[in-house]
Amino acid sequence: MSDVGLNGSSHMDTEESIKRAKSAAEKDVYSNRSQIIENPRDYNSYHAVSSGGPRLNDIIAFKMIEMSENYTPGLSEFKEGKVISIQEDRVTFNILNQVKKK
């Protein structure tokens, strides 16, 4: 019985080819990169919250007074929040993200 395949290559050539392919595959480097594309929003062009106040599940943009790096109060960048609860004069929301100004 011969050790030659249908295409004329020997069994040893095939094994060697497989070993080379495996060795090359082990050296492959894969990277997974994400690119965040920001779409700056002009919150000043959005309409204000109606006189009745925000509604449940509304997405609102707002600023807060925060402590700066030198421990003085300052106005924050825009933040977005989703209204999750409204009780009389209290509105509760989750902050979704913080948006930096240009």
Side-chain angles (χ1 to χ4, degrees), residues 28-48:
D28 282 348
V29 176
Y30 298 97
S31 65
N32 185 9
R33 295 185 195 147
S34 297
Q35 185 173 10
I36 298 172
I37 301 172
E38 291 188 31
N39 184 12
R41 296 181 182 164
D42 180 13
Y43 290 107
N44 295 317
S45 67
Y46 285 41
H47 67 82

